[in-house]
């Protein structure tokens, strides 16, 4: 079936959020709604030759990618998502902009809005930067593409979508987030959503990177990956973020890999249907060995594909909500 805006349908009226700033504030129903929209985009657009990988739901809209941090997957994924929906996409580079002359983030956004931009996708090293931009506009969509160590909501959603497509559910799954929990916005978004949807998250890594205070939120804490191998359904292997660390939290990369890397020996002690995820970029030989990253239990590239579908859902829902709000 060839889909058009007329026969595709509309964003459910229950979705009223003009911004997607984090998963902590979303209800379980809102998270499931976004996952359902993303599933539909994945099945009926991205995997459909008939639709030529496009559906013109946002024709006439302009999306600006405001990336103040380096990015490959997220920036490209949002760009593709916007274009798959028929929107015009503007890629902003902080290094070659007037910000180098002292212009603020908000003034930059205001100037772009004056040119007719309908939505901002914001990545920034400062937690709260997307929220600051969102508070400056009444009827414009803002999507957080990662703000410091705070949240990365679309990465959390694409991880959830990958789990749900594999197991058919989220509720009841035991999901281990292994690595640099202290600096990981991906871990935070995953944990907030997993708890809301009835999963059992575990954070695992060196004590210098895994705070015991996660237990106060109902998250299990483990300092040994070997102890949890037989019970985990999903391992999400997080990169060690040296760029965010003031001091090195362990003696050497070699020691970290010895204690926490997912290798073939550890994989053999996991469940037969264990799902291996990693948000990327992956460091082969550090958090994961090449034979596991490229093996049959790895769904890392599937995550990337799901990321386009999730970002299509995020852009369509928030821009539609902003448009509805402006009409009132």
């Amino acid at each position: 079936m060839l889909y058009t805006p007329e026969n595709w349908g509309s964003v459910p009226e229950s979705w009223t959020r003009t911004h997607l700033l984090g998963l902590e504030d979303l209800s379980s129903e809102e998270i499931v709604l976004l996952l359902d929209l993303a599933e539909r985009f994945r099945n009926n657009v991205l995997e459909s030759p008939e639709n030529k990988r496009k559906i013109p739901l946002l024709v006439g809209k302009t999306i600006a990618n405001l990336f103040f941090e380096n990015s490959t997957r997220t920036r490209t994924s949002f760009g593709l998502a916007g274009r798959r929906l028929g929107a015009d996409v503007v890629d902003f580079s902080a290094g070659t902009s007037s910000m180098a002359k002292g212009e603020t983030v908000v003034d930059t956004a205001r100037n772009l809005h004056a040119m007719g931009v309908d939505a901002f996708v914001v990545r920034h090293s400062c937690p709260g930067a997307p929220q600051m931009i969102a508070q400056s506009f009444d009827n414009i969509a803002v999507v957080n593409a990662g703000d410091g160590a705070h949240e990365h909501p679309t990465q959390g959603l694409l991880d959830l979508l990958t789990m749900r497509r594999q197991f058919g559910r989220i509720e009841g799954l035991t999901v281990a987030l292994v690595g640099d929990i202290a600096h990981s916005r991906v871990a935070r978004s995953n944990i907030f959503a997993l708890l809301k949807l009835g999963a059992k998250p575990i954070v695992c890594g060196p004590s210098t990177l895994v705070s015991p205070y996660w237990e106060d939120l109902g998250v299990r804490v483990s300092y040994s990956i070997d102890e949890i191998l037989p019970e985990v359904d999903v391992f999400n292997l997080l990169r060690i973020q040296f760029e965010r660390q003031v001091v090195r939290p362990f003696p050497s990369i070699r020691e970290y890999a010895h204690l926490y890397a997912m290798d073939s020996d550890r994989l053999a002690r996991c469940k037969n249907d264990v799902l291996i995820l990693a948000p990327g970029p992956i460091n082969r030989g550090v958090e994961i060995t090449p034979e596991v990253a490229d093996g049959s239990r790895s769904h890392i590239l599937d995550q990337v594909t799901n990321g386009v579908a999730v970002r299509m859902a995020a852009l369509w829902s928030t821009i539609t909500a902003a448009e509805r709000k402006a009409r009132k």
Side-chain angles (χ1 to χ4, degrees):
M1 178 179 181
L2 183 62
Y3 286 104
T4 65
E6 290 72 28
N7 64 20
W8 179 266
S10 59
V11 175
E13 293 289 338
S14 60
W15 179 268
T16 59
R17 294 182 182 269
T18 58
H19 311 308
L20 179 58
L21 302 176
L23 301 186
E24 183 178 13
D25 297 330
L26 265 59
S27 66
S28 58
E29 292 78 14
E30 288 172 318
I31 293 171
V32 170
L33 185 153
L34 288 173
L35 292 176
D36 289 345
L37 290 178
E39 183 84 48
R40 194 174 177 208
F41 280 125
R42 165 95 197 222
N43 292 338
N44 297 302
V45 179
L46 299 184
E47 295 181 352
S48 171
E50 186 178 25
N51 280 285
K52 298 181 180 178
R53 303 171 69 85
K54 281 191 177 185
I55 180 168
L57 296 173
L58 293 179
V59 171
K61 301 297 182 182
T62 301
I63 301 165
N65 286 335
L66 304 185
F67 276 62
F68 303 95
E69 279 190 319
N70 293 334
S71 172
T72 300
R73 279 156 298 279
T74 304
R75 180 199 286 267
T76 305
S77 182
F78 268 111
L80 287 172
R83 293 181 180 96
R84 297 279 186 260
L85 292 166
D88 295 316
V89 179
V90 177
D91 284 315
F92 168 86
S93 176
T96 58
S97 75
S98 291
M99 291 191 68
K101 303 175 183 178
E103 186 172 74
T104 68
V105 172
V106 171
D107 281 337
T108 297
R110 284 173 175 163
N111 277 278
L112 290 170
H113 181 236
M115 298 179 195
V117 169
D118 301 286
F120 292 115
V121 177
V122 185
R123 167 170 284 198
H124 203 286
S125 60
C126 179
Q131 183 176 14
M132 185 170 62
I133 292 175
Q135 290 172 343
S136 302
F137 301 97
D138 289 329
N139 302 316
I140 187 168
V142 177
V143 179
N144 180 5
D147 60 331
H150 174 227
E151 276 217 52
H152 194 347
T154 56
Q155 180 67 48
L157 288 169
L158 73 88
D159 291 344
L160 289 169
L161 182 61
T162 308
M163 297 176 209
R164 197 176 75 165
R165 287 174 63 87
Q166 180 69 13
F167 293 103
R169 60 187 172 89
I170 300 296
E171 186 176 6
L173 293 179
T174 299
V175 181
L177 296 133
V178 182
D180 190 352
I181 307 300
H183 303 93
S184 177
R185 54 197 175 201
V186 173
R188 283 162 177 76
S189 288
N190 266 268
I191 288 168
F192 293 139
L194 288 167
L195 289 171
K196 290 174 191 289
L197 297 184
K200 295 175 284 188
I202 303 173
V203 289
C204 178
S207 59
T208 50
L209 293 174
V210 180
S211 168
Y213 292 109
W214 279 110
E215 293 180 344
D216 295 342
L217 295 179
V219 179
R220 180 178 162 190
V221 174
S222 174
Y223 300 112
S224 170
I225 190 174
D226 294 299
E227 289 181 357
I228 63 175
L229 290 174
E231 60 185 292
V232 172
D233 298 299
V234 181
F235 278 97
N236 201 339
L237 308 171
L238 307 177
R239 180 177 63 88
I240 302 300
Q241 299 187 46
F242 292 112
E243 71 276 12
R244 299 188 190 278
Q245 298 168 2
V246 178
V247 295
R248 179 161 291 190
F250 42 77
S252 69
I253 294 291
R254 182 177 181 181
E255 179 172 346
Y256 177 85
H258 174 70
L259 293 174
Y260 294 102
M262 181 60 71
D263 55 22
S264 55
D265 177 66
R266 287 194 170 107
L267 187 63
R269 288 181 275 151
C270 293
K271 292 183 177 182
N272 291 333
D273 61 348
V274 69
L275 185 66
I276 303 297
L277 305 179
I282 62 171
N283 293 313
R284 292 172 181 261
V286 181
E287 66 266 15
I288 187 170
T289 56
E291 70 273 12
V292 176
D294 301 326
S296 61
R297 302 316 310 163
S298 169
H299 283 248
I300 295 172
L301 294 180
D302 200 33
Q303 287 174 272
V304 177
T305 303
N306 289 334
V308 178
V310 159
R311 282 147 188 158
M312 290 175 74
L315 291 170
W316 186 43
S317 60
T318 53
I319 292 173
T320 298
E323 194 173 38
R324 288 172 178 169
K325 183 179 179 182
R327 290 199 297 261
K328 290 182 179 179

